[in-house]
Amino acid sequence: MGSCSEEYLDTAPTDAVSKDVIFETTEGAEVAMNGIYRWMYSWNQLGNGRHDDWGYRTLGLKADLMGHDMKVYSRGYGWFITDYNYTGRGQVTDNSTASISYNLNYDIIYNSNVIIEEVDEVMGEQYERDWLKAQALTTRAHAYLWLAQYHAPTYVGNESAPCVPLKLESSEEHMGISTVGEVYDAIVKDLDDAIALFSSAGVGRPAKSYVDIQVAQGIRARAALNMEDWTSAISMAQAARAGYPLMSNDEMTGGFNDFSVGEWMWGFDINDEQSTIYASWFSHMDPLRLSYASLGLQKQMPQYLYDTIPDTDIRRALFVEPGDTTVLDPWGTPVPGLVSYKFTTPSWAADYIMMRAAEMYLIEAEAAAEAGQDGVAQAAVNAILEARDPGSSTSSTGDALVQEIRLQRRLELWGEGFGLFDIKRWKIPLDRTDHDPTLCLTTDLDANSYMFNWRVPQYEIDANDMITDADQVD
Amino acid sequence: MKRLTILLAFFVLTGAFLYAQGVQITGTVTGADEGIALPGVSVVVQGTTIGSVTDFEGKYSITVPESSNVLIFSFVGMRTAQVAVDSRTVIDIVLETDAVGIDEVMVVAYGTAKKSSFTGSAENISRDKIDNIQATSVSKMLEGTTAGVQVTTASGQPGSNATIRIRGIGSINASSDPLYVVDGVPYGGDLNSINPDDIESITVLKDATAAALYGARGANGVIVITTSRGKSGKMELEVKVRHGWSDRAIDEYPRIEQGQYYEKTWEAYRNSLVYGAGMSMADANQGASYGQDGDGNSNNTVAQLGNYNAYDVNPTQLIGTDGKLNANANLLYPNEWEDVLFRVAKKMDYNINVNGGDDNSNYYISLGYLNEEGLMEHSDMTRFTGRVNADSQVKKWLKIGLSANAVSYKTNNFSDGNSTTSNPFFFSRVMGPVFPVYAYNTWNQPGEGSIITDSDGNATYDFGAADMTFDNGYGNSVPGLRPYAGTFNLAGSLSLDERSTLVDAVSARTYTDFAILPGLHLRMNLSVDFNGTSGTTYQNSTYGDAAGYGRITKNYGRRMVYTLNQLLTYNKSFGLHSMDLLAGHENYSYNFNYLTATRTGFPFEGIRELAPASTGEGSNSYENNDRIESFLGRVNYDYNDKYYVSASIRTDGSSRFHPDTRWGTFWSLGGSWRLSEESFMQVDWINSLKVKASYGVQGNNNGIGFYPWQGLYSLGYDNNVYSGALANSLELAELMWEENSNFNTGVEFALFNRLRGSVEYFIRGSKNLLFEVPQPRSLGIDSKWQNIGGMENKGIEVILNADVISAEDFRWNIDFNITHYKNVLTELPQEEIIAGSKKLMVGKSVYEFFTWEYAGANAETGAALYWFDEIEVDGDGEQVIDDDGKPVKTGTRLLTEDPGGEGDRYYHGTSIPDFFGGITNSFYYKGFDLSIFLTYSVGGQFMDYNYQWLMREGDLGFAWHTDILDGWTEPLDAGGLPTAEMGDGTTVSYDPNTIPRVEVGNTDLRYTSNRFMFDASYFNIRNITLGYNLPKNAARKIGASGLRVFVTADNLYIWTQNPGMDPRQDFAGTAATAYSPIKTYTVGLNVKF
């Protein structure tokens, strides 16, 4: 008190530290890496307390609700209805669907960029630096893949179409909009670099919430599938799933809430403290507990799709059989037919899935079938069929096999965030057979519709010297 | 310094020299009013210490040095007279009665000033002016009391504060709040901690001369609160008792009742089947009345409303295919949400104070108790306050004083201002009228129409009926599900939940004043503001969001603010000159500690602490520090009590900025001229006339956080058990203050012995605005603070006070003020910045609405139509783009039904009013007094989001405004209606005055647009007070020295353009679902002993 010294005016926060402190050692850099992982499932990224804003699973749910395989039972509290109805696309304000994708991914990209730039100089072992840099490259590529899938048309045939700004440095330089091809080139390069660094680092990960070499390979397989690079898709998917078993029936019906299940390759381990209660994925997916999904926003599978699941297939047990009154909501009332309870949890501390082995089998199967390697494709898809519906298998070939694999993908990965992207990739129209037309305002869209691509948020255009309104394309 | 010494020595010596010779002058002083001689008048030779006093006959004698020519006659209550000797030896003089308020002493920055000599702009609001207003926080007392001050509606929540703007809007992203100063030192406590009964006066410092000495914190004006001090003389004990009753000051919006609600919902659902699902009108009519799905469940209108049937008829018979309610239907239960949730709130306010003193010491001691209920059940405030103010002239050279305030208060409240189910104002406003508070037996159930009771016979609440079944009329028993807030009942859970705050605060100011030499003082002030706030948020485990487990959050915030300063003052008169000087040094230190924890898993209801809950859901703690060090100085100079100049300077170093930029200098220069003191202005009807002007620069560093310059990673982003941190901010080494340059000029006058007032003109320019400049989101950050941008507030203020009648028994006084200002942005970091309902652009105001433009309802379909600009298209069908990358407009406006996609936004006026102010009429008649205080605001726009909520397209379960009944229902006769082209080239007839059709799910029908904007003008009967003072003799008979009884009504009536709306909620002119402001009736008794 009362000092005239300059130190009197030097203050510092206690809930934040300077960048220098973070990037002193590899331990510090790992703290920055964990911040990225946490942000991937943090609530309230837009900062206005919305209950539909909890990281990548938000983006995944939007992708499913914009597809044709997930329908909504009623308006309920109205969350995500604008996505389901395709009525929010025109809104490009700081509170829109487009902004949730934009903000989350560029936050991840910025934080990854800083690690990539700083980590070579921090104190520690070389393998630690390699391991951290590999993770940051992977999370950056993962973010760009989400952006490309949402904000641009699919890769093939649109390589020179506008995508998103490609920021590969933490600098304040404004970047114009890159093409789909450029963004995918960067994704592939990051992942290839990451895989090499993971390999040279040669260390395991402390938990499945970290990305590792197989997760990087899995993301690389996803990108390759989008790029119709069938060879890479097959090899990367195979490498990615190596050593991961498929879920047992008990695990399939266990609620998809536990990242220790063997099949999970990447997921977030959410504890009581980090759960966000009503503002969470499970609140919007679980019809059996007091949640938005039990208050009218139950998520259903269309009847026709449900009817394709054999009675002996365990996946049929993830949806309420129409007429079945034994599945009860928290008030003891029967849950409506066709409602999914694939994602259910006894406690809010429920884990979020990011990647599992079945997807890798399906990528491998689809890529192989498309590449004409029917035998490889059959083996991969039959692994899924055998696990879900023991004794069943396919011996189809050619286009019939492709179609069968696509169906298996829709059934197996229902609710896991692929709905819209598969429609774009397959270049098929949106077909909302069996949706309630009084709720569903957009029942069909042409293949390759511009409506599938989110716009650039207006605030990006306003603030970025390199982007103008003319870059907003439909 | 050496030069100064020589100069001072020179003056002292000359003074002594002049003293040696002189002429004796004698005369008589009389008062102008009654012509009687005035004893005790002080007579001084100007510029000297030579003085005399008149005797009982008003006579005086004085020796005037030859070099002096002016005598000054002064007497309490009289205007001071300056008279030229001009070789006379006998000077008789008549002193005029002083018009009230001319020479009051007012509190200004770091000291006091005589109003007559003050060169700046400051308005004193004395105790008697705010005495009538019944408010628990001083912030709620200021609306309309003086010019230049704008106040938002204080929420009716007990313990809430109003927000204040002085002379326009100072900042865009940083704070525009004024600085509060209590008893001479910037205040670090909560305004609620000050008992309004302890306040002696409030001074609003408006311009640079008045506020620049507060440097980096003075840019938005300063509100100086001075508390009561003891008066020397007899000890006095005062007891004040007040009881009040409060109700909503603004009634709820009118909403449609149950039968209309079913009919309108039927129509909205029917329309969704027609316009949404593409059914034929006939099929849709059938479906809305009788619809049934494959399972035998109904999906008619009643089913759409969660199977709620408020009537005693079969739900399939409730609404016919004509959309009309069954004529035989009778209501089974009432819509009683407001009855159950609201109440007439009671208020008790008891105060006692003792004051007294002698020539050397004085004291003021007070105790207060307040118990104020909120309008909503379970909201209230209980406050205990205690204050001791004391001053003592210990030695001739030493004076010590203290003002200390201790307070403890607790508030119970709930969330408000948002659209959550836990906000009772929102919940009760938007809940459809057919959803009951209590659970009822409905149609075809045993006990039809009766409340369902629990095993103890108590009424049970309706929690959305998810656990109940209803007869759907097709022989099926179906579950209920209230579409809005399906598991929630505020009436049932409010009593089980808790949102409380417990505050303990101590605020103390001490000073020690050393008189070093005559006129030279060293004063040291030390002040401490301590505030401890302990909060509890508890959600019960029985009902609602936390059913089954319960949840509690406890937090504690400890704030400690020190201000320490050393001030050297010197005043000196020589000849016709007088000066006072101030030099000082100050340290400010703010320290805040916060701790919070949340747990869940309660085994039973009852104990609202962390201990019984089983599972931790998070905890956190942190500390913040903020410091300022300052050097300051001021010079006031006056010549002959006619010409005044004052100048001030202050240098502040703030911990919020980088060491290289943290020091800033602020200054002011002002002058005034009392024309009425000139001999050529000696006319009868001019009592006083002063012109003044000032200019200066102040700073603003508030509202930007404590560490805005530092590049930081935020801790606490842990990935399960692995510690995590996320990049939070960039280093901004160049960041510095926002600067406010303030020009003020005006005239103050007192005329005809009965009219007083002032007219002032100001230009308040902000530059280097602390702007959160939006960054391309692709950089990974939203924005960064930069000193970019400018804004200007130009305005005029008029204050008038007139004694219309001032007879002995009857007096009538009018007090009036009016302010007009215009806010204009002068510089921005981007060409345009869209922020919510506003768009910032140079030349527009900071609160300029920018929203979609409603054209009218499509005459044929009732769809809502909005305007947009047609874009030029080239031969290839591509948009033509100009050099700035913007599409080129053809100048033609087209219509669209898709505002979010195709529609354009346009400017629709500003929320800033054209003018605003207050007017008070006071009457006194033989001990009775009546005061009527009105406030008003004219012009400006208001975006009523609450009205928009009630005009939704048919969001199932939500209430409707009665205006919806006037909406489109069937095709209109297009004859005579305007037509325009749609985006697709078709032509459409539309009715600009018709509300669109209703249609479940079609949000374009209620898209935010100017359709929901209203004129923001209002008129408020702020306060009416009727009081009676018992004659002194009568008071004495009961042992008292004075007794007053009064009745008062606050916020008695508010007129607005749209009943239900409160345009004062927010300076930005948008509605929130706030706690309604209250009107209060109070009866009170003050007794002095």
Side-chain angles (χ1 to χ4, degrees), chain B residues 433-445:
Chain B
V434 302
F435 305 101
V437 175
Y438 300 103
Y440 280 87
N441 291 302
T442 53
W443 174 75
N444 212 18
Q445 287 173 326

Side-chain angles (χ1 to χ4, degrees), chain B residues 576-638:
Chain B
L576 297 176
H577 311 268
S578 74
M579 269 183 113
D580 73 82
L581 311 172
L582 164 77
H585 169 253
E586 182 172 286
N587 285 91
Y588 164 85
S589 169
Y590 164 102
N591 171 260
F592 181 69
N593 284 282
Y594 187 74
L595 175 67
T596 180
T598 302
R599 293 184 77 82
T600 182
F602 281 83
F604 41 74
E605 299 279 3
I607 304 176
R608 294 172 182 181
E609 294 293 343
L610 296 169
S614 62
T615 310
E617 272 193 350
S619 55
N620 195 17
S621 72
Y622 60 83
E623 173 176 326
N624 277 318
N625 285 292
D626 184 34
R627 297 199 184 111
I628 298 176
E629 179 165 17
S630 317
F631 301 90
L632 52 106
R634 178 174 58 201
V635 181
N636 289 332
Y637 165 80
D638 91 67

Side-chain angles (χ1 to χ4, degrees), chain A residues 17 77 172 269 278 331 460, chain B residues 485 545 713 720 777-778 784:
Chain A
V17 291
Y77 276 67
E172 291 181 48
D269 182 11
Y278 291 104
W331 305 277
E460 172 77 16
Chain B
D545 285 353
Y713 265 69
N720 198 287
R777 202 58 183 76
S778 55
K784 67 174 185 182

Side-chain angles (χ1 to χ4, degrees), chain B residues 630-917:
Chain B
S630 317
F631 301 90
L632 52 106
R634 178 174 58 201
V635 181
N636 289 332
Y637 165 80
D638 91 67
Y639 176 76
N640 203 7
D641 275 341
K642 284 183 195 167
Y643 312 105
Y644 301 85
V645 179
S646 64
S648 73
I649 188 161
R650 175 170 175 139
T651 299
D652 279 327
S654 163
S655 63
R656 297 186 186 187
F657 303 108
H658 186 273
D660 294 344
T661 57
R662 66 170 49 140
W663 290 94
T665 300
F666 311 95
W667 57 274
S668 72
L669 184 63
S672 63
W673 175 23
R674 290 175 70 191
L675 278 98
S676 51
E677 300 305 303
E678 299 289 356
S679 48
F680 59 82
M681 287 297 282
Q682 298 301 322
V683 279
D684 282 354
W685 57 275
I686 297 177
N687 309 117
S688 160
L689 186 63
K690 179 172 95 175
V691 294
K692 62 185 178 182
S694 73
Y695 183 76
V697 172
Q698 295 141 279
N700 181 19
N701 73 348
N702 202 13
I704 55 172
F706 296 108
Y707 318 99
W709 75 268
Q710 302 188 34
L712 297 169
Y713 265 69
S714 288
L715 300 170
Y717 286 94
D718 307 330
N719 170 23
N720 198 287
V721 297
Y722 305 98
S723 293
L726 207 58
N728 172 283
S729 53
L730 302 172
E731 182 173 319
L732 303 169
E734 66 287 357
L735 197 68
M736 53 189 273
W737 334 85
E738 180 165 294
E739 261 182 29
N740 235 291
S741 60
N742 230 321
F743 170 75
N744 183 74
T745 183
V747 53
E748 293 171 19
F749 52 85
L751 309 170
F752 310 109
N753 281 324
R754 60 174 65 211
L755 177 66
R756 296 159 295 277
S758 65
V759 178
E760 298 196 4
Y761 172 75
F762 62 87
I763 305 174
R764 201 180 147 205
S766 308
K767 63 172 185 174
N768 295 335
L769 284 180
L770 282 165
F771 216 109
E772 263 190 295
V773 181
Q775 298 297 304
R777 202 58 183 76
S778 55
L779 299 187
I781 44 173
D782 291 313
S783 60
K784 67 174 185 182
W785 287 104
Q786 279 179 283
N787 290 101
I788 295 187
M791 193 159 56
E792 195 170 71
N793 294 283
K794 275 188 202 171
I796 187 155
E797 298 173 358
V798 178
I799 296 177
L800 291 173
N801 183 296
D803 297 320
V804 183
I805 297 172
S806 49
E808 191 171 334
D809 277 347
F810 182 65
R811 279 179 289 149
W812 174 18
N813 179 276
I814 299 176
D815 191 54
F816 170 80
N817 70 74
I818 186 166
T819 305
H820 158 80
Y821 77 89
K822 222 175 140 72
N823 172 285
V824 175
L825 294 164
T826 54
E827 189 198 344
L828 286 173
Q830 282 172 207
E831 190 187 338
E832 52 183 57
I833 296 170
I834 296 175
S837 59
K838 310 295 183 313
K839 181 163 89 170
L840 307 181
M841 268 182 104
V842 169
K844 296 284 182 182
S845 89
V846 64
Y847 293 142
E848 205 89 16
F849 285 102
F850 186 69
T851 190
W852 286 268
E853 185 167 330
Y854 178 66
N858 182 323
E860 180 62 29
T861 65
L865 296 168
Y866 305 85
W867 292 109
F868 73 100
D869 293 318
E870 187 179 45
I871 302 299
E872 224 168 276
V873 177
D874 64 19
D876 302 330
E878 296 286 318
Q879 291 187 350
V880 180
I881 305 295
D882 69 11
D883 295 343
D884 297 332
K886 298 217 175 290
V888 177
K889 296 171 180 174
T890 63
T892 305
R893 297 214 303 173
L894 306 176
L895 288 174
T896 179
E897 293 182 8
D898 176 21
E902 219 170 11
D904 279 333
R905 282 178 278 181
Y906 301 93
Y907 275 117
H908 290 287
T910 175
S911 68
I912 296 173
D914 297 333
F915 55 90
F916 59 90

Side-chain angles (χ1 to χ4, degrees), chain B residues 414-435:
Chain B
F414 38 75
S415 65
D416 68 333
N418 52 35
S419 52
T420 61
T421 51
S422 51
N423 172 3
F425 284 90
F426 178 75
F427 185 83
S428 65
R429 173 175 298 147
V430 304
M431 177 62 77
V434 302
F435 305 101

